[in-house]
Amino acid sequence: MSKSIDEIIKKKSPIIFLFGQEEFLIGEALEKLINSYFPNKKNTYDFDLLDGGEIDERTIVERCSSFPMMSEKRLVVVKNSEKLFTGRSKKADKNSSLAKYLSSPSDFSTLVFVAFIDTFSGIGAGLAGKNKAKFEKMIEQAKYPYNILLKNYDWIEFPKLYDNQIITWIRERFKIYGKQISQEAANLLFALTSGELRDIANEVEKICLFVGDSKEITLDDISKVTGNRRTNNVFELQKAIGVKNIALANEILFNMLATERQEMLIITMLTRYFIAIWKVQELLQKTKDSKEIADAIGVNSYFIKDYIEPAKIYSNKATENAIISLCEADFELKSSGGNNILTLQNLIEKIINYN
């Protein structure tokens, strides 16, 4: 087992096994490995990309046994390798050409198996934890050729990331670009995307391009680049509430909750929104400069109109009522098993219809 693809690249391992459920992470690691062999992307005479669903073991051995023409080593990658080995047992294949090659790989080739499987889920972390013996037994009992790959060669598992892990991954992703993002902003980005790593990675790249030299990623940066992709999102909801359009607000609310649970995100963002409006109401008594107001509340000037207009529509007491109502709804959502949509619909009515 290796901790990272960088570690494997440095070791120049003859056989590598990349597997797991996070296809995007596996793909990134594989691309990095290929680029380490062929950095200029021109000399690919010594690179073979094979599909496990379309080849046999003999083909793999033949490619690995071919001397490189223009490189130090030949690189042979077998994607979808799980299709090649499905249903096979140790006994039936122990004398196959590939089994013999795995016992004595050539020193002029690197063979990479890529498999999108959950068969060994958690094995990477398990071998480093308290239940190490359990996962060692898993390796011993694994079918051919996984038993050989896991026991004798370098491998990395890319297990499925759960929601809390994805938030951490998002923050680490921004660090690659030299950016910092708060937990709250990372939560928002996750909520506004499909939750798939590839989708999130694309958004991270776009956001970094959008902010330019800025080192901090804000909630408003997320909303500008990602939030506006969707008609039914928390930003459109707060805008509808801000101009007291109850019909539109309820429509957006229903559509948001029809596909995924976003109750606490809605409460969090609306609370932040009305606290900002309350601050704008105070600032408007001192200045009419929208940029000055935007800087004071920490909002991108592009969005400040979405705060100034509601600050004029809502009275100070109405804004105070909105914040109190949000606190009450937050408590109700966390303490009861009632109808969440009804709770939020009642919240919107309390906020908009307050006199």
Side-chain angles (χ1 to χ4, degrees):
M1 179 180 70
S2 296
K3 294 181 179 179
S4 69
I5 195 65
D6 293 317
E7 181 180 312
I8 286 180
I9 290 171
K10 289 179 181 178
K11 291 170 70 173
K12 297 183 177 181
S13 306
I15 297 177
I16 301 165
F17 183 32
L18 307 178
F19 66 96
Q21 294 173 273
E22 288 294 353
E23 186 174 346
F24 174 74
L25 297 182
I26 294 174
E28 275 204 326
L30 179 60
E31 183 179 7
K32 194 168 189 178
L33 177 64
I34 293 171
N35 289 339
S36 73
Y37 278 76
F38 311 103
N40 59 13
K41 298 184 183 295
K42 293 180 180 180
N43 177 22
T44 56
Y45 295 105
D46 301 314
F47 173 47
D48 292 293
L49 180 61
L50 309 176
D51 190 319
E54 300 175 357
I55 60 163
D56 56 21
E57 293 187 2
R58 186 179 298 277
T59 302
I60 297 172
V61 175
E62 287 175 352
R63 298 296 178 90
C64 290
S65 300
S66 299
F67 284 95
M69 295 173 61
M70 302 178 67
S71 307
E72 180 183 348
K73 277 194 174 187
R74 174 175 291 280
L75 179 64
V76 179
V77 175
V78 183
K79 65 177 184 178
N80 301 317
S81 61
E82 70 278 7
K83 295 180 180 178
L84 179 65
F85 305 121
T86 299
R88 301 193 176 188
S89 67
K90 298 179 191 176
K91 185 177 179 180
D93 295 273
K94 65 180 181 180
N95 294 318
S96 70
S97 58
L98 181 59
K100 292 176 181 178
Y101 181 84
L102 292 178
S103 67
S104 181
S106 67
D107 57 5
F108 51 78
S109 293
T110 296
L111 173 59
V112 183
F113 289 105
V114 179
F116 303 112
I117 55 175
D118 60 1
T119 310
F120 308 105
S121 181
I123 192 170
L127 286 172
K130 296 180 180 179
N131 296 322
K132 181 179 179 181
K134 170 187 173 182
F135 291 95
E136 288 177 337
K137 185 177 180 181
M138 182 186 292
I139 293 175
E140 290 294 334
Q141 295 178 342
K143 291 184 177 182
Y144 165 87
Y146 301 128
N147 57 325
I148 299 172
L149 297 176
L150 293 171
K151 192 172 183 178
N152 301 328
Y153 296 106
D154 284 302
W155 54 267
I156 305 177
E157 180 198 8
F158 297 87
K160 179 178 176 56
L161 298 184
Y162 295 96
D163 291 0
N164 62 322
Q165 295 172 308
I166 292 178
I167 300 301
T168 301
W169 183 82
I170 288 173
R171 301 187 75 180
E172 292 299 316
R173 192 77 179 181
F174 274 106
K175 286 182 181 179
I176 294 175
Y177 294 89
K179 311 292 185 184
Q180 297 289 328
I181 184 172
S182 68
Q183 183 83 10
E184 186 180 16
N187 286 335
L188 177 60
L189 176 57
F190 176 61
L192 293 177
T193 59
S194 66
E196 296 294 327
L197 298 189
R198 188 180 303 280
D199 185 25
I200 296 172
N202 288 337
E203 293 304 312
V204 168
E205 185 175 358
K206 287 190 285 186
I207 291 164
C208 290
L209 288 172
F210 172 74
V211 301
D213 294 332
S214 176
K215 299 298 182 183
E216 297 291 331
I217 306 298
T218 67
L219 285 164
D220 291 317
D221 295 327
I222 303 296
S223 68
K224 170 61 178 174
V225 178
T226 303
N228 291 332
R229 292 190 315 158
R230 299 182 179 181
T231 302
N232 300 306
N233 62 57
V234 71
F235 296 99
E236 295 303 318
L237 176 62
Q238 69 184 28
K239 283 167 65 177
I241 295 174
V243 296
K244 294 194 172 185
N245 188 333
I246 193 168
L248 178 59
N250 280 320
E251 179 185 347
I252 294 171
L253 174 68
F254 180 80
N255 289 333
M256 287 180 68
L257 298 182
T259 56
E260 54 188 317
R261 297 193 62 178
Q262 301 184 63
E263 294 92 337
M264 301 319 299
L265 170 68
I266 289 170
I267 293 294
T268 299
M269 296 305 294
L270 287 180
T271 301
R272 179 180 181 273
Y273 181 62
F274 275 99
I275 289 174
I277 289 174
W278 174 69
K279 292 178 180 177
V280 170
Q281 289 172 332
E282 286 191 339
L283 290 165
L284 284 172
Q285 297 176 19
K286 303 174 184 178
T287 179
K288 303 297 180 184
D289 188 326
S290 60
K291 188 177 185 309
E292 184 179 340
I293 294 173
D295 291 342
I297 66 170
V299 171
N300 190 306
S301 57
Y302 180 88
F303 300 102
I304 193 58
K305 64 180 183 299
D306 295 331
Y307 293 82
I308 291 178
E309 185 178 0
K312 295 176 180 178
I313 293 174
Y314 285 81
S315 65
N316 290 346
K317 286 187 177 180
T319 303
E320 182 181 347
N321 167 73
I323 295 171
I324 293 172
S325 298
L326 282 158
C327 291
E328 292 172 347
D330 179 62
F331 178 79
E332 185 175 344
L333 288 170
K334 290 177 178 176
S335 60
S336 72
N339 189 321
N340 290 352
I341 293 181
L342 182 60
T343 296
L344 292 175
Q345 284 179 321
N346 289 337
L347 169 65
I348 290 173
E349 185 176 350
K350 284 181 184 178
I351 292 174
I352 292 179
N353 292 336
Y354 181 84
N355 294 317

